[in-house]
Amino acid sequence: MMIIGGAMAILEGIAAIAKDDLFVRTSNYAFTFNLTSWGWIHLIVGIVVLLAGCALFSGALWARVVGIFVVGVSLIAHFLWLPYYPFWSVILIAIDTFVIYALCTAHPERADTRA
């Protein structure tokens, strides 16, 4: 799910960089950047989330910790992106929330001892 969420954020960033007239422009928003800046933010965060998702295949604990942190940053970025593209942001916030929950609750090293 992290790889999918990262890929979606990369596409969102590319869309904001290449064609920023696609998104709604808000005038009185506390976190006002131009859309190209938001595009670069989402592109960089998406690449980092994608790489952290690939690192999870190693099964290392550090990859889970990095994944939780990086997806948390992604969740905050998508929350701040809500006024520009609400439907896409809500979907990615849900994916990020699910990923954080999965990374915090999974214990692959603990074997099931029930017989």
Side-chain angles (χ1 to χ4, degrees):
M1 289 300 286
M2 276 181 69
I3 294 171
I4 292 170
M8 290 172 70
I10 289 170
L11 293 175
E12 178 181 43
I14 291 171
I17 292 168
K19 197 166 190 165
D20 59 350
D21 59 341
L22 173 74
F23 300 103
V24 175
R25 297 183 188 272
T26 57
S27 58
N28 296 325
Y29 184 51
F31 305 103
T32 55
F33 293 123
N34 64 7
L35 289 173
T36 305
S37 298
W38 274 116
W40 281 106
I41 290 169
H42 286 291
L43 181 66
I44 292 168
V45 168
I47 289 170
V48 173
V49 168
L50 184 88
L51 292 175
C54 291
L56 277 174
F57 286 118
S58 70
L61 179 63
W62 67 266
R64 290 177 59 194
V65 173
V66 168
I68 292 168
F69 176 75
V70 169
V71 172
V73 170
S74 174
L75 189 136
I76 292 169
H78 287 106
F79 179 74
L80 297 175
W81 180 251
L82 267 169
Y84 296 101
Y85 208 32
F87 182 70
W88 188 268
S89 293
V90 169
I91 289 172
L92 289 174
I93 287 171
I95 289 173
D96 289 344
T97 304
F98 176 75
V99 167
I100 290 174
Y101 173 76
L103 289 175
C104 289
T105 59
H107 300 288
E109 65 275 356
R110 192 182 324 172
D112 192 5
T113 58
R114 289 183 266 165

